[in-house]
Amino acid sequence: MNQPLALPPDVLPAEDVIDLYQYWRLFRRWWWALGLAFVLGALAAYGFSKIQQPVYRAETRILVSQAASSDLTDTYRDILVGERLVKTYAEIITSDAVLERVAEIVGEEALESADITVSPVKETQLLTVQVEYTDPEIAATIANEIMRVFSEYMRQVQTQRFAESKANLQAQLTTLQSEIEQLQEQLAALGTPETDAERAQQQQLQALLTQQQAAYTSLLRSFEEVRLAEAQAVDTILVVDPATPPEDPVRPRVLFNTLLGGVLALVAAAGLIVLIEMLDDRIRSPEVVERLTDYPLLGMIAHIDAADAGYSLIVREHPRDPVSEAYRVVRTNLQFAEVQSPIRTLMVTSAGPGEGKTTTTANLALAMAQAGRKVVLVDADLRKPMQHQVFGLSNAQGLTSALMHPEIAADRFLQRVDAGGGQSLWVMPSGPVPPNPAEVVGSRRMQELLDELATFADVVVLDTPPVLVVADPALLAQMSDGVLLVARLGVAHVQGVKRALEQLRYAEARVVGIVVNDMTARDGGYYYYYHNYYHHDGDNTNTDDGLSRSPVRRKGRRSDASRKGLVARLVSFVRLQ
């Protein structure tokens, strides 16, 4: 039983590294869409902000001084009353009683278009009035007029409480003043009394005048006391910071709106990308194969540029290329699979078309042949045979010819090709395409032919059609010792691979593993850089295979990415065992 691989303390666990690289690959795949969304959103917000009419904000502040309390001991109550008074005044400023008077001065249209905000300054007796309008001069005028009208209105409201008392006292004072004047006129008309009756009348008038004058003095004193109480009870409203026409508009904020538009578009694009990724079940990384299937990942093959000559048979033409090494890794992992049961006949297939199974089959057969094994490659794809084109062979005779002529030895239909490294590979092309491929490959003669080829070679490799397209692979899987499934990143679908494996399971096939094909640097993450590290070290040089090598190794020290890739690769290798 294998012991778990101990990781150095400064190296992240392989699972964490894989998750990080999944996010990184997702970003690298969609960075252009995110960038485009940000730019378009920013441009749209910028254009919309530029066509908006600018809005200016004028601001004024007033100080509300509460009337002095008669109770000098209750300071806390005065504080609470003061805070409530400021909030009350904030509501009164925006009341119809005040704004209607302001509208008579600045005009109803301007006042209706203005945005008026009144807010108390926290823990103070200050009130801030802000007026937003498209004209800075009118905004300042509205703010100042609101304060002026409000002050007059509050003074009027507060003095109304004493108006009735003052009016009553004033009326009594006027009446007494009139009566006093009449008494004084009567005394003046009486003159100097000569008789006792005149002297009695004079005394009576003088007593009445004294009484009325005393009453007048008392009423006058009461009137002054009311006036003093009125002066003490009225709150003081003082404008401490009058409004001035602003120079710069507060809206639109072009820079802020531009950044906000870009960020919102970026978030929307990210959400759309997540939705697309959730709905798209194409396999994007090797980790998906390991996570969603019960079969080991035997190898990861990097992207091969089909436009470059010789790259279809890269194991033979460029043996030092990292892709060639990847095929040799698959060959080695297959040898571990043979520990339990020998694989004399290996079928290579894929879930759907266009996943690179033909190229994988050819290069895997070459890698096996270079290891010194006698390998026969049979093109069992009688629908669209391609191996004869890959190796540049004649397809006049091949598999179908051997099936039709059992009396002829099977090795007569094999064509020998150079496998590189002084080794040879035997290829059996498909031969003429029959009208009934399923019946041909599912016949007893096919089993006999495979048995015969197994006695001729160490291993027979079959290139077959995709599993989900035709029934041929299921029939051939029953005749093979092992099945290797090829999945191409960005092409193979998760459900397709699962259905293909399910069909092979129903056929009682022995699926030895899966090979991921057509990986790029952004898909492979540290797996891909791991191969580059071990096969592209040193300075930039042109090797004998014509490939330009990039320096990856400096002074014998490994980079962090390479070290993480090595750990992850070792973990994958241990799992295969």
Side-chain angles (χ1 to χ4, degrees):
M1 181 176 180
N2 295 320
Q3 297 295 327
L5 182 63
L7 301 181
D10 59 337
V11 178
L12 291 174
E15 291 78 4
D16 294 340
V17 177
I18 291 174
D19 291 338
L20 292 176
Y21 272 98
Q22 284 178 348
Y23 291 115
W24 174 242
R25 284 196 298 270
L26 181 63
F27 171 76
R28 292 191 63 179
R29 185 162 62 248
W30 290 100
W31 68 266
W32 62 270
L34 295 174
L36 181 62
F38 180 84
V39 172
L40 293 179
L43 290 177
Y46 176 81
F48 180 77
S49 299
K50 295 299 288 185
I51 65 176
Q52 296 297 307
Q53 188 174 12
V55 176
Y56 297 86
R57 176 186 296 165
E59 181 177 298
T60 181
R61 289 188 178 186
I62 62 172
L63 173 64
V64 179
S65 299
Q66 182 184 357
S69 174
S70 59
D71 188 359
L72 300 179
T73 62
D74 199 352
T75 307
Y76 180 72
R77 182 183 63 83
D78 291 341
I79 295 175
L80 293 179
V81 171
E83 293 179 353
R84 293 177 182 177
L85 184 63
V86 171
K87 294 180 180 179
T88 303
Y89 282 176
E91 296 295 330
I92 296 176
I93 290 176
T94 56
S95 65
D96 294 339
V98 175
L99 295 182
E100 287 177 358
R101 298 184 183 185
V102 177
E104 296 176 358
I105 302 173
V106 300
E108 293 185 3
E109 182 179 355
L111 191 62
E112 291 178 356
S113 302
D115 185 9
I116 303 173
T117 304
V118 182
S119 57
V121 180
K122 189 176 181 180
E123 297 181 356
T124 68
Q125 290 181 288
L126 294 175
L127 272 177
T128 301
V129 178
Q130 295 179 342
V131 178
E132 295 183 358
Y133 194 69
T134 55
D135 189 322
E137 298 288 343
I138 296 179
T141 301
I142 293 176
N144 290 327
E145 286 298 324
I146 287 177
M147 289 294 95
R148 186 186 64 81
V149 171
F150 169 69
S151 299
E152 294 179 355
Y153 174 77
M154 291 307 303
R155 188 178 298 108
Q156 179 182 357
V157 169
Q158 291 174 345
T159 56
Q160 284 179 354
R161 295 183 299 168
F162 301 91
E164 185 176 355
S165 299
K166 290 171 60 179
N168 291 333
L169 291 174
Q170 185 64 46
Q172 295 180 29
L173 287 172
T174 303
T175 302
L176 287 176
Q177 181 67 31
S178 177
E179 293 177 354
I180 291 172
E181 291 177 353
Q182 291 178 1
L183 291 174
Q184 289 176 346
E185 291 177 355
Q186 291 178 6
L187 287 173
L190 182 61
T192 303
E194 297 179 354
T195 63
D196 292 338
E198 288 179 353
R199 282 192 291 272
Q201 183 181 1
Q202 184 183 24
Q203 292 177 356
Q204 183 179 4
L205 290 175
Q206 188 65 42
L208 184 59
L209 177 61
T210 302
Q211 182 180 359
Q212 292 294 86
Q213 287 177 343
Y216 182 84
T217 302
S218 176
L219 285 175
L220 185 60
R221 186 182 303 109
S222 298
F223 184 80
E224 292 300 329
E225 290 177 355
V226 170
R227 290 181 59 184
L228 180 60
E230 178 184 7
Q232 293 177 348
V234 175
D235 299 331
T236 302
I237 299 175
L238 177 65
V239 178
V240 296
D241 191 9
T244 58
E247 297 180 358
D248 300 323
V250 295
R251 292 196 310 271
R253 293 183 289 178
V254 179
L255 179 60
F256 175 79
N257 292 344
T258 301
L259 294 177
L260 180 61
V263 171
L264 292 179
L266 183 65
V267 172
L272 182 61
I273 289 173
V274 171
L275 180 61
I276 292 175
E277 289 291 328
M278 291 176 61
L279 297 177
D280 185 8
D281 70 336
R282 286 181 294 177
I283 297 177
R284 297 290 186 180
S285 65
E287 293 79 13
V288 175
V289 177
E290 291 183 310
R291 186 171 63 252
L292 299 179
T293 65
D294 298 330
Y295 298 95
L297 183 63
L298 298 186
M300 294 162 288
I301 311 302
H303 173 76
I304 300 177
D305 192 353
D308 292 344
Y311 267 76
S312 295
L313 302 176
I314 190 171
V315 172
R316 184 181 68 183
E317 304 300 331
H318 303 284
R320 295 182 58 185
D321 193 271
V323 178
S324 301
E325 179 62 25
Y327 282 112
R328 287 190 283 269
V329 170
V330 177
R331 177 195 66 191
T332 302
N333 290 334
L334 284 174
Q335 293 176 355
F336 284 107
E338 288 185 287
V339 173
Q340 181 180 1
S341 177
I343 300 176
R344 301 297 303 278
T345 305
L346 176 66
M347 187 186 89
V348 182
T349 185
S350 61
E355 297 193 33
K357 64 173 183 59
T358 297
T359 303
T360 300
T361 305
N363 284 281
L364 180 59
L366 289 172
M368 291 179 174
Q370 288 178 356
R373 305 181 71 181
K374 191 173 184 179
V375 182
V376 172
L377 172 59
V378 179
D379 192 350
D381 188 350
L382 302 183
R383 312 281 178 164
K384 292 182 179 180
M386 295 293 296
Q387 291 296 345
H388 64 282
Q389 296 182 12
V390 172
F391 287 94
L393 305 175
S394 172
N395 198 33
Q397 291 184 343
L399 175 61
T400 55
S401 304
L403 293 174
M404 293 176 60
H405 301 282
E407 70 280 1
I408 303 177
D411 58 355
R412 297 284 300 275
F413 300 98
L414 299 177
Q415 301 184 45
R416 183 175 180 177
V417 297
D418 180 22
Q423 304 296 329
S424 298
L425 171 68
W426 301 90
V427 180
M428 177 179 286
S430 66
V433 177
N436 54 344
E439 287 78 4
V440 172
V441 298
S443 62
R444 180 180 298 178
R445 172 57 187 156
M446 183 68 187
Q447 181 66 66
E448 295 174 353
L449 178 62
L450 293 178
D451 294 339
E452 184 179 355
L453 292 175
T455 61
F456 174 80
D458 296 327
V459 59
V460 179
V461 181
L462 302 177
D463 181 13
T464 64
V467 177
L468 300 180
V469 177
V470 293
D472 305 14
L475 299 173
L476 290 172
Q478 298 176 349
M479 307 177 189
S480 304
D481 299 326
V483 177
L484 184 65
L485 186 69
V486 178
R488 182 177 181 180
L489 295 185
V491 176
H493 292 262
V494 172
Q495 296 301 323
V497 172
K498 286 185 175 181
R499 288 197 301 268
L501 292 173
E502 187 176 353
Q503 290 190 19
L504 293 173
R505 190 180 299 112
Y506 287 155
E508 298 181 355
R510 178 193 173 193
V511 179
V512 294
I514 301 174
V515 172
V516 173
N517 192 28
D518 199 26
M519 277 186 13
T520 61
R522 66 179 185 181
D523 295 325
Y526 44 77
Y527 289 106
Y528 190 89
Y529 294 120
Y530 165 74
H531 290 293
N532 286 341
Y533 173 78
Y534 276 94
H535 300 284
H536 289 267
D537 54 345
D539 296 334
N540 286 347
T541 57
N542 291 329
T543 61
D544 54 0
D545 57 6
L547 296 179
S548 177
R549 305 304 187 189
S550 301
V552 181
R553 202 170 182 175
R554 295 288 187 183
K555 298 181 181 180
R557 299 182 62 184
R558 297 174 180 174
S559 64
D560 291 339
S562 299
R563 183 174 56 183
K564 294 176 183 177
L566 175 59
V567 172
R569 190 70 188 97
L570 290 174
V571 171
S572 177
F573 183 76
V574 170
R575 289 175 181 171
L576 293 176
Q577 299 184 54

